[in-house]
């Protein structure tokens, strides 16, 4: 059970009457947040959040509409997890401007509660779930009277920064609840939601890459589009698990909820890995010269091609993961070459056929050979297996 | 202790070659009071429709044997009156749906609430027609 301690209340009373921040009464991150708030001139007695003008808000929302859209489903999942608790789920941009708000009517429909356009940086609103998260650039939790502004003290707030693939903070996802215990139950879901949202940004990049493929490499568009659909499956699995977990949290089935979240994180990780691999295949660049494990590359590609092979009814036998033959190649060019070999092999094998991939090393010549052994299926008239070989320099 | 029997909302057939996807949808739909049956590929969908007489079909697009759109077209040709929700991650989803006359489709990834909303709409349209 979460215990509310009287120290922050006393710290607030001392600060408001003397202007001094008593360090011994506050957790370190909160002391730092109060100090920043004080130095930047935040008013602890402010009754309402300051906000953007209507025009500025409209402009901001228009600029951020894709960001809001990507985050919304996860905000809904968090709101669902809160169940009957009074709560608000908030999304801000990187300047702590509130962009989106979800929650129960009693909480979010009050005039004093921040609405889209509200400014929630520490400079304006003091230590809070959004401003402090941005200032610290990491997960932050503000419990009750740890808020700098008294008006926020009924709530326990948690915030997590949302980053793009370059690591730049795009905004903060935050959840505020009146019950600290309820807030505690939602922490892991919030962290998982962050991973899910960052996977959405990767998804958007895949769509952009696909449009580029249509322009620069139309011959490969169809297969890459199919593979893109296949890798989204892992992301979908992660999202559904998170959704199911949130329903379990709302029904107080916490152990099952945690199990689902662990699985969701694994699915998201699988999606990230496959997305990176797909982006290398879709890229029109040669890629840097890299040291790669041939067998890992083949096994990754076999994994990516699993649905395609199943639809074509081709059995694929990948080499076992034991021999780490390393090659030095232009990475992206090599992966695209490997993909082409697989697709030709699938065509030659036909429905009911088998493609077996073996990797052998030619020690004297310092070369590795990737052998595609194709056993045609019933529909292909051929008496013997076909062989294709890709020869590569060993590192 | 007497357990009260609550009759199911209806029967839903989940057609998806991905085991994980079928499992998650099955768990949630069962919790929501639906009777659930499953199919792993396009051919099995057609068999299960005949055997199980579902009220709604949730259909993945990329499947072995027959794709979701191929199943859809087959059922249209046979005038099978069954609400169908197509799930896909295809980038040109809206134009695909429009060209085939598919009313109910879900772009992956989606939340369960998106699916339930569509199932509600699909069920209501079937009630109106009957």
């Amino acid at each position: 059970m979460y215990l509310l301690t009287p120290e922050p209340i006393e710290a607030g009373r001392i600060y408001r009457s003397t202007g001094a921040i008593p360090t011994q009464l506050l957790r370190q991150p909160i002391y730092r947040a109060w100090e920043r708030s004080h130095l930047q001139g935040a008013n602890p007695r402010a009754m309402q959040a300051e906000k953007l003008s209507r025009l500025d808000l409209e402009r901001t929302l228009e600029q951020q509409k894709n960001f809001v859209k990507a985050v919304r489903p996860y905000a809904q999942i968090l709101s669902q997890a809160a169940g009957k608790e009074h709560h608000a789920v908030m999304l801000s941009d990187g300047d702590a401007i509130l962009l989106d708000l979800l929650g129960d009517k009693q909480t979010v429909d009050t005039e004093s509660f921040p609405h889209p356009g509200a400014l929630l940086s520490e400079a304006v609103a003091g230590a809070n779930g959004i401003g402090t998260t941005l200032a610290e650039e990491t997960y932050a939790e503000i419990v009750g009277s740890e808020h700098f502004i008294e008006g926020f003290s009924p709530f326990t707030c948690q915030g997590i920064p949302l980053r793009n693939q370059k690591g730049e903070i795009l905004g903060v996802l935050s959840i505020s609840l009146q019950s600290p215990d309820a807030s505690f139950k939602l922490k892991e879901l919030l962290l998982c939601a962050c991973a899910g949202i960052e996977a959405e940004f990767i998804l958007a990049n895949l769509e952009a890459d696909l449009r580029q493929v249509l322009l620069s490499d139309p011959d490969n568009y169809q297969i890459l589009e199919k593979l893109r659909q296949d890798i989204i499956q892992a992301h979908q699995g992660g999202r559904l698990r998170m959704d199911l977990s949130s329903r379990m949290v709302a029904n107080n089935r916490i152990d099952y909820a945690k199990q689902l979240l662990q699985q969701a994180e694994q699915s998201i990780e699988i999606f990230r890995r496959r997305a990176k691999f797909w982006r290398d295949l879709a890229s029109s660049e040669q890629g840097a010269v890299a040291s790669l494990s041939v067998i890992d590359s083949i096994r990754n590609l076999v994994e990516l091609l699993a649905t395609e092979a199943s639809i074509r009814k081709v059995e694929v036998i990948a080499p076992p993961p034991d021999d780490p033959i390393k090659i030095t190649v232009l990475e992206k060019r090599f992966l695209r070459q490997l993909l082409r070999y697989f697709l030709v092999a699938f065509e030659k094998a036909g429905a009911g056929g088998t493609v077996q991939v073996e990797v052998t090393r030619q020690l004297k010549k310092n070369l590795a050979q990737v052998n595609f052994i194709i056993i045609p299926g019933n529909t292909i008239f051929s008496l013997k297996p076909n062989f294709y070989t890709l020869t590569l320099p060993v590192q | 202790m007497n357990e009260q029997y609550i009759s199911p909302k209806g029967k839903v057939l989940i057609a998806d070659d991905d085991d994980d996807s079928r499992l998650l949808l099955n768990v949630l739909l069962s919790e929501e009071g639906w009777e659930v049956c499953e199919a792993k590929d396009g051919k099995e969908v057609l068999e299960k429709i005949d055997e199980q007489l579902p009220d709604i079909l949730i259909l993945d697009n990329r499947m072995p044997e027959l794709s979701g759109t191929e199943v859809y077209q087959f059922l249209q040709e046979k005038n099978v009156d069954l609400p169908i929700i197509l799930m896909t991650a295809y980038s040109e989803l809206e134009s695909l749906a429009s060209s085939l006359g598919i009313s109910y489709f879900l772009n992956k990834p989606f939340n369960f609430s998106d699916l339930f909303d569509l199932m509600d709409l699909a069920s209501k349209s079937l009630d109106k027609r009957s």
Side-chain angles (χ1 to χ4, degrees):
Chain A
M1 186 169 146
Y2 219 98
L3 288 174
L4 280 170
T5 60
E7 283 92 345
I9 301 174
E10 181 62 12
R13 192 193 62 75
I14 293 170
Y15 174 70
R16 285 187 292 277
S17 54
T18 70
I21 303 173
T23 60
Q24 71 281 12
L25 295 178
L26 295 170
R27 295 186 289 133
Q28 262 306 296
I30 303 303
Y31 172 76
R32 286 198 301 269
W34 279 36
E35 200 174 41
R36 288 191 299 261
S37 308
H38 169 75
L39 289 171
Q40 290 172 99
N43 175 7
R45 292 187 179 84
M47 295 303 288
Q48 250 186 351
E50 290 180 30
K51 50 191 182 187
L52 290 181
S53 70
R54 197 165 156 179
L55 191 60
D56 284 343
L57 175 59
E58 273 172 20
R59 215 175 280 145
T60 303
L61 290 177
E62 178 58 32
Q63 281 166 0
Q64 299 281 19
K65 64 180 181 198
N66 290 337
F67 181 47
V68 172
K69 190 177 167 194
V71 174
R72 244 289 145 144
Y74 297 88
Q76 284 167 338
I77 284 172
L78 281 165
S79 183
Q80 180 176 259
K84 295 192 172 119
E85 299 284 343
H86 294 306
H87 71 279
V89 182
M90 295 180 277
L91 172 69
S92 82
D93 68 3
D95 295 320
I97 298 169
L98 191 57
L99 299 174
D100 201 13
L101 172 67
L102 279 183
D104 67 288
K105 281 188 181 306
Q106 202 172 324
T107 303
V108 305
D109 281 357
T110 56
E111 218 182 292
S112 57
F113 199 87
H115 286 92
L119 307 175
L120 295 174
S121 64
E122 282 184 338
V124 178
N128 69 84
I130 286 177
T132 302
T133 299
L134 279 171
E136 297 270 318
E137 296 187 355
T138 188
Y139 169 84
E141 186 180 45
I142 317 281
V143 182
S145 297
E146 289 179 340
H147 283 90
F148 189 79
I149 289 180
E150 261 189 296
F152 290 154
S153 62
F155 293 98
T156 294
C157 303
Q158 301 177 74
I160 184 109
L162 302 173
R163 296 173 194 273
N164 63 15
Q165 288 196 272
K166 292 182 200 167
E168 296 160 339
I169 294 176
L170 300 177
V172 172
L173 180 64
S174 164
I175 181 155
S176 302
L177 287 114
Q178 286 194 357
S179 156
D181 283 340
S183 182
F184 183 66
K185 277 193 272 189
L186 264 65
K187 180 177 175 178
E188 283 178 54
L189 186 58
L190 176 66
L191 298 179
C192 195
C194 173
I197 291 164
E198 290 177 356
E200 295 288 331
F201 302 152
I202 295 172
L203 195 59
N205 285 337
L206 298 184
E207 285 171 19
D209 286 354
L210 190 65
R211 286 193 290 274
Q212 197 49 43
V213 168
L214 188 57
L215 296 171
S216 62
D217 188 12
D219 291 341
N220 278 326
Y221 177 83
Q222 248 196 10
I223 184 63
L224 286 168
E225 161 59 330
K226 288 177 184 176
L227 295 182
R228 190 194 67 91
Q229 290 180 53
D230 295 340
I231 64 177
I232 286 170
Q233 201 58 38
H235 183 39
Q236 171 68 32
R239 174 99 84 98
L240 291 184
R241 281 200 160 80
M242 242 184 281
D243 196 334
L244 189 53
S245 174
S246 86
R247 288 161 195 265
M248 296 302 116
V249 169
N251 289 327
N252 228 19
R253 290 165 67 181
I254 304 299
D255 287 342
Y256 185 29
K258 282 188 178 174
Q259 202 184 330
L260 287 164
L261 282 182
Q262 276 170 5
Q263 292 166 356
E265 278 160 6
Q266 284 165 8
S267 292
I268 292 168
E269 194 41 50
I270 290 170
F271 167 72
R272 278 181 194 275
R273 185 168 49 79
R274 289 181 185 171
K276 187 197 171 299
F277 197 79
W278 184 94
R279 296 195 79 191
D280 286 342
L281 286 173
S283 170
S284 56
E285 295 166 8
Q286 303 275 42
V289 172
S291 167
L292 297 178
S293 157
V294 189
I295 287 177
D296 283 352
S297 301
I298 291 168
R299 290 179 67 82
N300 283 337
L301 192 46
V302 167
E303 193 184 285
L304 206 66
L305 287 166
T307 302
E308 184 64 17
S310 165
I311 288 171
R312 293 188 192 222
K313 295 188 201 173
V314 173
E315 187 193 357
V316 182
I317 303 169
D322 30 55
D323 192 355
I325 301 174
K326 290 239 178 190
I327 52 170
T328 306
V329 286
L330 289 167
E331 183 177 3
K332 292 176 187 181
R333 196 175 100 169
F334 164 65
L335 293 175
R336 285 197 298 274
Q337 199 176 16
L338 208 53
L339 173 64
R340 276 198 295 277
Y341 270 69
F342 266 103
L343 295 177
V344 167
F346 284 178
E347 282 296 320
K348 297 286 177 192
T354 302
V355 172
Q356 184 172 349
V357 186
E358 286 176 353
V359 182
T360 54
R361 194 196 290 258
Q362 287 189 354
L363 285 166
K364 284 184 183 167
K365 293 182 187 175
N366 230 20
L367 295 170
Q369 281 192 321
V370 181
N371 302 308
F372 289 78
I373 303 156
I374 301 154
I375 303 161
N378 313 331
T379 55
I380 308 270
F381 180 71
S382 176
L383 295 173
K384 357 181 226 198
N386 294 318
F387 297 88
Y388 289 89
T389 299
L390 179 57
T391 305
L392 304 153
V394 173
Q395 189 181 325
Chain B
M1 188 174 84
N2 290 326
E3 282 188 8
Q4 198 179 0
Y5 175 73
I6 300 167
S7 56
K9 285 180 179 172
K11 189 182 283 191
V12 57
L13 173 58
I14 303 169
D16 196 329
D17 62 318
D18 187 86
D19 297 339
D20 197 47
S21 187
R22 284 199 320 277
L23 170 68
L24 289 168
L25 291 173
N26 192 330
V27 165
L28 210 336
L29 289 167
S30 303
E31 291 243 344
E32 289 290 311
W34 290 88
E35 190 185 337
V36 181
C37 48
E38 298 179 13
K40 289 196 280 291
D41 61 56
K43 212 166 136 192
E44 200 182 338
V45 175
L46 301 178
E47 288 163 8
K48 286 283 169 88
I49 288 173
D50 279 339
E51 283 167 20
Q52 299 282 340
L53 305 174
D55 300 299
I56 294 183
L57 169 60
I58 299 171
L59 186 58
D60 189 34
N61 193 25
R62 258 178 83 66
M63 287 192 296
E65 300 294 342
L66 291 171
S67 69
T69 47
E70 285 168 337
V71 167
Y72 182 85
Q73 284 170 313
F74 181 87
L75 294 174
Q76 292 290 99
E77 281 162 24
K78 300 287 172 195
N79 288 319
V80 172
D81 196 9
L82 175 64
I84 300 172
I85 297 170
L86 184 72
M87 302 185 292
T88 178
Y90 183 55
S91 56
E92 308 286 323
L93 171 60
E94 290 197 33
S95 60
L96 171 71
S98 164
S99 68
L100 294 171
I102 297 174
S103 306
Y104 310 111
F105 50 88
L106 271 174
N107 205 349
K108 293 182 189 178
F110 55 84
N111 285 5
F112 283 122
S113 55
D114 302 323
L115 175 61
F116 294 148
D117 289 345
L118 273 189
M119 287 174 76
D120 243 350
L121 272 175
S123 306
K124 279 175 186 159
S125 84
L126 184 65
D127 288 342
K128 273 189 191 158
R129 291 208 297 272
S130 60

